[in-house]
Amino acid sequence: MGNKLYVGNLAYSVRDESLQAAFSQFGSVTSAKVMMDRETGRSKGFGFVEMSSSAEAQAAMNAMNGQPLEGRAVERSRRFGDQVGIQHADELFGLG
């Protein structure tokens, strides 16, 4: 299991810093990135968080499912092929 998480159903107000702060309570966040639309500068409603270990990634994934982040509940974990939620990016995108 990898350390990268896909985080979906984010409020449009969520930025990299707030995403990192939310996940840092579960361990060391290596990176946190909210994907932004190039033309509008508005959040696309999803992002990626990389934790320093698989155990921290699993803890964060389990704890953040369904929890509010800036007024919007982060969707529960989904299996490969689903559109939203928190899941390992390795599974979602076939990353090594």
Side-chain angles (χ1 to χ4, degrees):
M1 187 183 296
N3 304 346
K4 295 177 187 173
L5 301 173
Y6 166 83
V7 185
N9 199 41
L10 295 176
Y12 293 124
S13 61
V14 174
R15 296 294 180 260
D16 297 349
E17 297 79 17
S18 53
L19 188 59
Q20 180 169 351
F23 279 78
S24 66
Q25 61 187 316
F26 307 104
S28 179
V29 176
T30 305
S31 66
K33 182 70 178 165
V34 175
M35 305 312 292
M36 307 297 281
D37 186 283
R38 282 183 244 162
E39 293 180 21
T40 65
R42 182 176 161 187
S43 167
K44 291 186 174 185
F46 70 94
F48 297 92
V49 175
E50 185 170 5
M51 305 297 288
S52 63
S53 74
S54 283
E56 291 173 346
Q58 186 65 48
M61 186 171 72
N62 292 340
M64 289 299 292
N65 284 331
Q67 296 303 306
L69 181 58
E70 295 190 19
R72 195 164 179 187
V74 174
E75 288 287 333
R76 69 180 199 78
S77 181
R78 306 286 180 147
R79 294 286 176 222
F80 180 82
D82 287 283
Q83 297 291 321
V84 295
I86 300 176
Q87 68 187 106
H88 284 274
D90 297 359
E91 297 169 12
L92 183 64
F93 295 105
L95 304 174

